[in-house]
Amino acid sequence: MQALFKAVTLEQGFEAFAGLLRRNDLVTGGWMNRHVENAIEIAFNPGSDQNTKSQALQFLNQIRTEPQGWQVCLSFVVRDPRPSEVVRHVALDIINEAIRAGRLDAPNLMFVRETLMIYIQNVYGAGNSGGNLTPDSVNIQNKIAQTATYLFVSLYTTEWTTFFSDVLSLTATAGTTVRDNLRGATFYLRVLNAVHDEIADILVPKLPHERTRDNNLKDLVRQRDAKMIALSWQEILLEWKSKNAPLVAQCLAAVRRWVAWTDISLVVNDPFLKILFQLVTPPQSPAQDDTTFVATETFTEILGKKMAASDKLELIDVLKVRDVVSQLIESKGLRELRATSNYDTDLAEAVAKLVNNAMYDIIKALENVQDGTPTSILGNSQLNTYLPYVLRFFSDEYDEICSTVIPCMTDLLALFRKKAKMNSTFCSENSGMLPPILNAVIAKMKYDDTSAWGNEDSQTDEAEFQELRKRLGVLQQAVASVNENLCIQTISTLVIEAFQKFQSQQGHIDWRDVDLAMHEMFLFGEIGLKNGAQYSKGKPVSPAAELLVGMMAKLVGSDIVSFSHPAIQLQYMEICVRYYTFFEANPQLIAPVLEKFVQLVHHNHVRVQSRSWYLFHRFVKHVRQHIGDIAQTVIQALGDLLQIKAELPEVTSDNGEFSSDENDQNANSKFTSQLYLYEAIGSMCSANTVPVDNQVLYVRSIIAPLYSDLEAHLGLAKVGDERAVLQVHHLIMAFGTLARGFSDWTPGPTASSTPPPAKSVSDEFIKVAEATLVALETLSFAFDVRTAARFALSRFIAVLGNHLLPQLPRWINGLLSQTSSKEEMALFLRLLDQIVFGFKLEIFDVLNTLLTPFLQRVFLGIGEAAAGTDDEIQLAELKREYLGFLLVILNNNLERVLVSEMNQFNFEAVISTIEHLAKDVADFAAAKLAFFVLIRMVETWGGPNVQNPSALQGNEITNTAPQPTLPGFDRFMMTRFSPLCWALPTNSNFTSKDAQARQVLGEAASLQKAIYQKAGQDYVIWLRDVELRKMGMDVSIMEEYLRALCDFDLKGFRQFFQTLVQRSIQR
């Protein structure tokens, strides 16, 4: 291909081509056409040399922008013999772009029209029906139709008013209206669809002037040609309905598009509907399937035409939607083949959509009409007519088809609720609808006969079914909101009968029936647990709650958990957890149920095992105070499940990368579930009914093997053994999780009602914390170990109390190692906030010792440049957590620690960091927090507010001396803090219109107001004589600003300062 460019380069070719255009001498430019054609071939040939391809693309881009570049491209479209497909496609694309961009004047547009129509007439007109000229490919036909459409947009208003009749003439032999030319009819319909897509597709975003242009064109089409076009549809369908199904489908596609913006009477008339009814007749052969399908879709689109609600009800009858739906439902594909693999699901879904839309229109018409009106009477009649069709498709075995009618079911139940509030007779007149709806909803919640629960191959189907169940649950709740008694009676009967059948048949019952009953029992809580309570003063709160008590008694008494199917066993555990208050009221049942739970946590099915460990933890946590006597037995029974065995991901490639298997058998997933067992054991051990001595024994029995395991793996982990490091991580996580289960006590003034554990128990956890610290100090280089240790530390707070404080420096040294990331520092700062808040009365000495070295590590993290987006996010989080930590110190009366003898030399570094963050225009969140900290420092060390600081009286200022609690701080806050308020807005990158920026300005104003309240007139003098004067502020603006500072309240001054800054920036 490159040999074609030996004589002339692309650049030379373009220069010669441009010269020809300037001389209007394309006739002599045939040799140039060959070079343009070659350029296109090279540009779109995957095998072309990249440099040559780049040169070719550049050449083509120049042709695109050349005002006359389209002319050579037009010859490629109409030339005989035809160039290659890619050449014609690119040529048409360049022509289309030129027309759309308005680069062609009226004469040139007419030239393109005449040239193109001659070609179209030759190829697609009736004169070529014998096929002398080969038709273009579908792709080229679409591009030519697009070109014709752009010409239509440009010329239809004045120059080409016969556009549609000219194109329509292709479909018939001259002098007749028999649309017997297949090529012409196909091309004509392509043009109609292209015109719609260009001027009437509401999904395509348009500029205002384009929308105006499109609306004007649609008005003209409706006025001039809509009737002719609609008649042409009838003629094409009559001619081809039994001859060519693809052409019929193409014609109906045009009808569906155009009906939305043309007069409905053009298609809703006897001749057209007669044809449409014939097309929608149930297929007698596979060849008719597509025609029936697209005809059904056409009915749906016609029905979707926007109009008044009462008119829509009449349209439903005129279209005979009931007859269409009923005959399609009775067709072979939807009735006889329904239970076979040949069931026509596409047609079923199309009919379901038609039914759904008809019901939607009926419901909308009934929403706001009065009872007894003609619209109400007709709507009620249609509602009863179409409900059986809705239920037919709702109960379809295919969930996609069922989901199609769920929207109208939802709307119908919403209509019931609305009418009930209006005290309408609608509910009583149509109350018979609710039982079949509820029965259909419940039946659809049942697993079908082909389902295979728990198989890996069916995980996607299972997830989709559970999602459908959620939607069905919403529908069931909607029924309950209309007729709660109906739901109570139906569900309770279903559940009790299933349990009785299980007992009478000695377990020989379909698992799907039992699963359905238990699922409904789980959902029954939405009715039986009003306001989340089942009991009040020891009695059920409602009749529904009382029925639920009976169902729970039957659940436990029937021993249905012995049913071998894992789905039933999981449902049993889910129900027991949800209705745990039943067991609190019946504690004698806890032991046998807990025994079943212990059996199920040993289940060999992976899905049951992992979920059961979590459910066991939830159940134990709720009923822990009633377990005391059997706690030891349960703990011993779980012993074999507590052994921790870390497993590295399998290596799946030569470069040593690990796999990322995420299924339930994944080792990490198993360990996460295993932690629930440790938390559950902690909950059991710490119950009030368990003596303290026994609590100590239980804790020792659990942690002893963990100690040994930790000791055994530390050496290997220290030398870099990855599995040993992961094992240490798991063991530390188990320590922390056991502590979390043991106590949820929180220190501080908002401490929980749960008391802290006994001292002897805390002593055991002190040993646990010490073992964790040893591991952390040994393996502080390991990210996983630091992560686990931070997790454990946050959980040790509840069991150690203030005994944790002496260890705190060691925790900091271990968790903030040289390799710690900014994210780790931020997370630890958040944890330290919790510790400081909880132990603020006892932590001063510890905090005083560790503050400076700790903050120096934080400063290093803040000072490091971010290397990438993730690092930027972590840095921003670290800044915010650092400032938040300072606020915690200041808000909990620990401010002395910042200026103590041990830390005062570091105070300048703290202030400098805050100053830096307060001026950061790239992080407004941090800047805002920095001003919070500065305001709090002013309030803390600025002393009492000056007594009635007077407003400016001319140039007179009444003096009131500030009394800072930190000597010299009054001067310090004026010289260091006050300038920061102006540093941010005077930054060239600052944008005052940004919402976050305005918030920062508000806090800067609050800082100035706080300084004024502490320093009074000294601050005003400082601003006038020093700070504002150095800034070069205009005297009049300065006086306005100072008066606002003195006279306005905080809210008023914030608004003033924001406005002042914005006004100054605009200048």
Side-chain angles (χ1 to χ4, degrees):
M1 188 66 71
Q2 295 178 25
L4 296 173
F5 285 85
K6 289 181 178 178
V8 124
T9 65
L10 286 173
E11 289 88 343
Q12 293 170 336
F14 177 74
E15 291 174 2
F17 175 74
L20 289 172
L21 291 176
R22 286 191 293 270
R23 295 194 305 272
N24 216 3
D25 191 17
L26 285 178
V27 176
T28 62
W31 64 274
M32 179 53 64
N33 290 6
R34 289 193 298 273
H35 283 291
V36 174
E37 183 176 347
N38 290 337
I40 296 175
E41 293 281 7
I42 291 174
F44 293 93
N45 183 354
S48 298
D49 174 73
Q50 289 299 317
N51 291 331
T52 308
K53 179 181 289 190
S54 176
Q55 192 180 24
L57 286 172
Q58 184 179 2
F59 176 51
L60 292 177
N61 288 333
Q62 289 174 310
I63 292 177
R64 286 180 187 274
T65 58
E66 175 62 36
Q68 301 299 321
W70 57 271
Q71 293 187 24
V72 70
C73 295
L74 185 59
S75 67
F76 295 149
V77 177
V78 301
R79 190 182 78 191
D80 187 21
R82 296 167 180 166
S84 67
E85 183 95 352
V86 67
V87 170
R88 301 184 75 207
H89 182 95
V90 173
L92 282 165
D93 198 46
I94 292 174
I95 294 169
N96 292 345
E97 184 179 335
I99 297 173
R100 289 203 73 181
R103 291 199 288 268
L104 276 68
D105 57 16
N108 281 325
L109 287 170
M110 294 300 292
F111 172 74
V112 175
R113 166 207 160 182
E114 291 166 5
T115 305
L116 195 64
M117 284 305 295
I118 291 171
Y119 173 82
I120 292 172
Q121 185 67 48
N122 289 337
V123 178
Y124 300 101
N128 191 43
S129 59
N132 296 327
L133 293 176
T134 305
D136 298 303
S137 67
V138 172
N139 173 53
I140 296 300
Q141 287 186 49
N142 287 333
K143 293 299 289 185
I144 294 175
Q146 191 178 52
T147 306
T149 299
Y150 294 149
L151 290 171
F152 157 80
V153 171
S154 300
L155 299 174
Y156 182 70
T157 304
T158 54
E159 288 86 354
W160 198 3
T161 59
T162 59
F163 172 82
F164 290 106
S165 57
D166 289 349
V167 182
L168 179 59
S169 67
L170 302 170
T171 65
T173 305
T176 72
T177 58
V178 179
R179 309 300 174 186
D180 55 356
N181 181 19
L182 179 60
R183 286 189 190 178
T186 300
F187 185 78
Y188 167 69
L189 293 171
R190 289 188 194 281
V191 172
L192 289 186
N193 288 329
V195 168
H196 164 84
D197 293 344
E198 177 63 24
I199 69 172
D201 190 341
I202 61 175
L203 298 179
V204 177
K206 295 289 186 71
L207 297 173
H209 75 275
E210 292 175 325
R211 287 196 296 268
T212 301
R213 178 205 65 190
D214 292 346
N215 290 334
N216 292 336
L217 286 171
K218 286 188 289 185
D219 289 340
L220 282 175
V221 172
R222 284 189 283 255
Q223 177 184 341
R224 294 174 180 173
D225 295 310
K227 290 182 180 180
M228 179 190 70
I229 293 169
L231 181 60
S232 72
W233 296 333
Q234 296 181 32
E235 294 166 349
I236 291 172
L237 291 173
L238 280 171
E239 178 66 25
W240 297 98
K241 63 182 181 180
S242 59
K243 298 178 183 178
N244 192 298
L247 184 66
V248 171
Q250 190 178 5
C251 184
L252 291 178
V255 174
R256 292 197 300 273
R257 283 175 163 90
W258 282 62
V259 73
W261 56 278
T262 54
D263 193 333
I264 189 70
S265 64
L266 296 178
V267 292
V268 180
N269 53 65
D270 289 340
F272 187 83
L273 289 181
K274 182 179 179 181
I275 300 171
L276 200 55
F277 289 141
Q278 293 172 354
L279 295 174
V280 83
T281 301
Q284 302 301 316
S285 66
Q288 290 180 275
D289 287 351
D290 290 342
T291 301
T292 303
F293 174 79
V294 295
T296 303
E297 286 194 321
T298 304
F299 268 103
T300 302
E301 290 300 323
I302 295 173
L303 189 61
K305 177 77 173 179
K306 292 182 179 180
M307 60 182 65
S310 57
D311 294 339
K312 186 60 72 74
L313 297 184
E314 294 179 11
L315 179 62
I316 291 173
D317 283 347
V318 170
L319 291 177
K320 299 180 181 179
V321 177
R322 180 190 64 182
D323 296 341
V324 171
V325 171
S326 61
Q327 70 176 2
L328 288 174
I329 287 177
E330 292 302 315
S331 67
K332 181 179 180 181
L334 267 60
R335 185 173 61 84
E336 294 181 19
L337 301 178
R338 181 175 177 181
T340 71
S341 59
N342 294 322
Y343 179 44
D344 194 342
T345 55
D346 290 338
L347 180 58
E349 192 167 350
V351 180
K353 184 177 180 181
L354 177 58
V355 171
N356 180 77
N357 289 9
M359 279 291 282
Y360 170 83
D361 291 329
I362 296 167
I363 293 165
K364 288 300 178 185
L366 290 171
E367 277 187 341
N368 298 307
V369 298
Q370 297 295 322
D371 297 335
T373 61
T375 301
S376 174
I377 294 170
L378 177 58
N380 274 300
S381 173
Q382 291 178 337
L383 204 61
N384 283 276
T385 298
Y386 286 93
L387 180 62
Y389 301 143
V390 173
L391 295 179
R392 150 66 179 87
F393 292 107
F394 182 80
S395 60
D396 198 280
E397 292 80 3
Y398 288 85
D399 294 342
E400 297 85 353
I401 298 171
C402 167
S403 298
T404 303
V405 294
I406 286 180
C408 73
M409 290 271 280
T410 304
D411 291 337
L412 176 58
L413 294 171
L415 178 65
F416 267 99
R417 292 197 301 272
K418 183 174 182 178
K419 292 293 185 181
K421 293 179 181 178
M422 297 167 59
N423 296 318
S424 170
T425 59
F426 174 86
C427 295
S428 58
E429 293 172 355
N430 296 286
S431 59
M433 294 182 179
L434 292 176
I437 290 175
L438 179 60
N439 291 334
V441 170
I442 292 175
K444 192 62 186 175
M445 288 189 183
K446 182 180 176 180
Y447 279 95
D448 60 45
D449 295 337
T450 61
S451 57
W453 188 95
N455 289 354
E456 289 187 18
D457 296 339
S458 61
Q459 284 184 1
T460 301
D461 293 339
E462 170 74 11
E464 291 175 352
F465 178 65
Q466 292 303 328
E467 187 60 32
L468 177 63
R469 267 189 167 181
K470 292 179 182 178
R471 298 178 68 187
L472 296 172
V474 173
L475 286 178
Q476 184 168 297
Q477 281 303 110
V479 175
S481 68
V482 178
N483 190 336
E484 187 175 277
N485 289 333
L486 173 65
C487 284
I488 291 174
Q489 188 62 38
T490 303
I491 296 173
S492 61
T493 300
L494 172 72
V495 173
I496 296 300
E497 287 180 353
F499 290 162
Q500 290 174 343
K501 187 177 181 181
F502 171 80
Q503 286 183 302
S504 63
Q505 297 183 6
Q506 298 180 343
H508 299 293
I509 181 175
D510 191 332
W511 72 269
R512 298 171 183 83
D513 293 327
V514 180
D515 173 81
L516 176 63
M518 297 184 75
H519 180 68
E520 285 294 339
M521 184 175 173
F522 186 87
L523 295 181
F524 193 79
E526 302 296 329
I527 303 173
L529 300 181
K530 286 294 178 66
N531 300 320
Q534 187 176 357
Y535 292 91
S536 177
K537 298 180 180 179
K539 295 182 179 180
V541 295
S542 65
E546 190 170 357
L547 276 174
L548 182 56
V549 170
M551 285 189 275
M552 285 298 297
K554 199 71 175 176
L555 175 79
V556 177
S558 66
D559 194 33
I560 204 164
V561 69
S562 62
F563 198 93
S564 59
H565 197 280
I568 307 306
Q569 295 167 334
L570 267 186
Q571 285 274 30
Y572 176 86
M573 299 183 77
E574 299 276 5
I575 291 171
C576 289
V577 170
R578 177 162 199 187
Y579 305 127
Y580 69 91
T581 53
F582 168 79
F583 296 99
E584 291 180 332
N586 300 275
Q588 73 279 3
L589 299 176
I590 292 178
V593 169
L594 204 54
E595 182 181 355
K596 299 297 183 183
F597 269 64
V598 170
Q599 293 173 5
L600 293 177
V601 297
H602 287 84
H603 205 285
N604 56 8
H605 194 289
V606 173
R607 183 172 169 184
V608 175
Q609 188 182 71
S610 60
R611 180 66 179 171
S612 67
W613 291 356
Y614 168 74
L615 294 173
F616 174 79
H617 150 253
R618 289 281 308 280
F619 185 70
V620 165
K621 190 172 183 179
H622 289 311
V623 301
R624 58 190 288 193
Q625 300 303 338
H626 303 280
I627 296 180
D629 295 340
I630 59 172
Q632 184 174 7
T633 303
V634 174
I635 293 171
Q636 290 174 346
L638 296 176
D640 59 316
L641 301 177
L642 299 179
Q643 184 177 0
I644 294 175
K645 184 178 180 182
E647 297 181 19
L648 292 172
E650 296 181 3
V651 177
T652 58
S653 61
D654 296 337
N655 60 8
E657 292 183 355
F658 293 111
S659 66
S660 56
D661 184 16
E662 295 179 358
N663 61 40
D664 287 339
Q665 300 182 44
N666 181 272
N668 186 58
S669 175
K670 180 180 178 181
F671 171 69
T672 300
S673 298
Q674 193 176 24
L675 290 178
Y676 289 120
L677 295 179
Y678 277 93
E679 186 169 352
I681 290 175
S683 295
M684 283 190 293
C685 293
S686 61
N688 295 335
T689 53
V690 177
V692 172
D693 291 344
N694 288 353
Q695 292 183 21
V696 173
L697 290 176
Y698 297 159
V699 171
R700 287 176 179 172
S701 67
I702 299 301
I703 61 178
L706 300 182
Y707 281 155
S708 301
D709 204 0
L710 182 64
E711 186 177 4
H713 285 87
L714 270 182
L716 290 173
K718 189 175 182 179
V719 295
D721 186 290
E722 292 184 7
R723 201 202 73 81
V725 171
L726 188 60
Q727 181 74 8
V728 172
H729 164 273
H730 285 10
L731 294 169
I732 295 175
M733 292 288 289
F735 286 151
T737 305
L738 180 67
R740 177 168 63 183
F742 208 96
S743 176
D744 57 4
W745 172 77
T746 54
T750 58
S752 61
S753 57
T754 306
K759 183 180 182 304
S760 56
V761 175
S762 292
D763 289 343
E764 294 301 319
F765 278 103
I766 289 175
K767 299 174 185 176
V768 174
E770 180 62 31
T772 305
L773 271 173
V774 171
L776 175 62
E777 291 168 338
T778 305
L779 306 174
S780 62
F781 62 85
F783 171 79
D784 285 344
V785 173
R786 295 197 303 270
T787 300
R790 186 172 59 251
F791 169 87
L793 173 60
S794 66
R795 275 67 183 177
F796 289 158
I797 296 172
V799 291
L800 297 183
N802 57 11
H803 299 295
L804 175 71
L805 299 181
Q807 296 178 338
L808 200 54
R810 295 173 62 194
W811 283 107
I812 292 175
N813 288 332
L815 292 173
L816 299 185
S817 69
Q818 297 299 322
T819 58
S820 295
S821 66
K822 297 179 181 66
E823 182 181 24
E824 289 182 81
M825 292 184 188
L827 290 172
F828 183 74
L829 277 166
R830 194 177 305 164
L831 176 58
L832 196 57
D833 290 347
Q834 178 186 351
I835 295 173
V836 170
F837 176 78
F839 301 105
K840 61 183 178 181
L841 298 179
E842 303 124 304
I843 201 173
F844 180 86
D845 291 336
V846 175
L847 191 60
N848 191 41
T849 302
L850 60 84
L851 183 66
T852 291
F854 168 64
L855 287 183
Q856 286 175 346
R857 296 190 187 186
V858 174
F859 293 158
L860 288 175
I862 292 176
E864 290 178 358
T869 303
D870 291 342
D871 207 26
E872 288 178 358
I873 294 173
Q874 292 181 14
L875 178 59
E877 185 67 19
L878 177 59
K879 292 175 183 177
R880 290 192 285 270
E881 291 300 332
Y882 161 68
L883 294 168
F885 173 67
L886 295 179
L887 280 174
V888 168
I889 290 177
L890 294 168
N891 290 335
N892 286 280
N893 300 319
L894 292 168
E895 65 277 359
R896 290 183 298 118
V897 76
L898 294 172
V899 292
S900 68
E901 185 176 350
M902 295 185 66
N903 299 305
Q904 61 183 355
F905 73 92
N906 197 50
F907 185 67
E908 175 60 30
V910 172
I911 297 299
S912 297
T913 309
I914 300 172
E915 289 175 332
H916 171 74
L917 297 178
K919 295 184 289 187
D920 191 353
V921 293
D923 190 350
F924 286 131
K928 181 180 176 181
L929 267 178
F931 278 108
F932 280 160
V933 174
L934 294 173
I935 293 169
R936 193 70 189 92
M937 285 182 171
V938 170
E939 293 172 345
T940 301
W941 289 313
N945 291 350
V946 294
Q947 297 298 316
N948 300 319
S950 62
L952 292 173
Q953 303 291 335
N955 292 324
E956 298 285 334
I957 302 178
T958 304
N959 186 40
T960 304
Q963 302 174 21
T965 57
L966 191 65
F969 190 74
D970 54 332
R971 184 72 178 174
F972 185 83
M973 63 186 180
M974 289 189 292
T975 57
R976 295 291 294 272
F977 294 179
S978 181
L980 296 174
C981 303
W982 300 98
L984 197 66
T986 54
N987 189 306
S988 59
N989 295 321
F990 181 78
T991 305
S992 61
K993 294 182 179 179
D994 185 283
Q996 287 187 309
R998 288 184 60 82
Q999 291 179 355
V1000 177
L1001 288 178
E1003 300 312 321
S1006 298
L1007 175 60
Q1008 295 170 80
K1009 197 69 176 175
I1011 296 173
Y1012 173 68
Q1013 288 175 335
K1014 302 300 181 182
Q1017 65 278 17
D1018 287 1
Y1019 184 42
V1020 175
I1021 295 171
W1022 164 263
L1023 288 170
R1024 173 187 287 166
D1025 296 346
V1026 181
E1027 186 173 322
L1028 301 183
R1029 190 176 301 279
K1030 284 184 178 180
M1031 290 173 52
M1033 182 179 287
D1034 183 82
V1035 175
S1036 61
I1037 296 177
M1038 185 190 303
E1039 292 302 323
E1040 180 187 10
Y1041 163 76
L1042 293 174
R1043 192 170 299 279
L1045 176 64
C1046 297
D1047 293 347
F1048 289 179
D1049 61 9
L1050 178 59
K1051 181 179 180 181
F1053 183 68
R1054 285 170 65 101
Q1055 293 174 347
F1056 168 82
F1057 187 69
Q1058 290 167 343
T1059 304
L1060 175 65
V1061 170
Q1062 189 166 2
R1063 193 173 66 199
S1064 301
I1065 291 176
Q1066 290 173 349
R1067 289 179 180 177

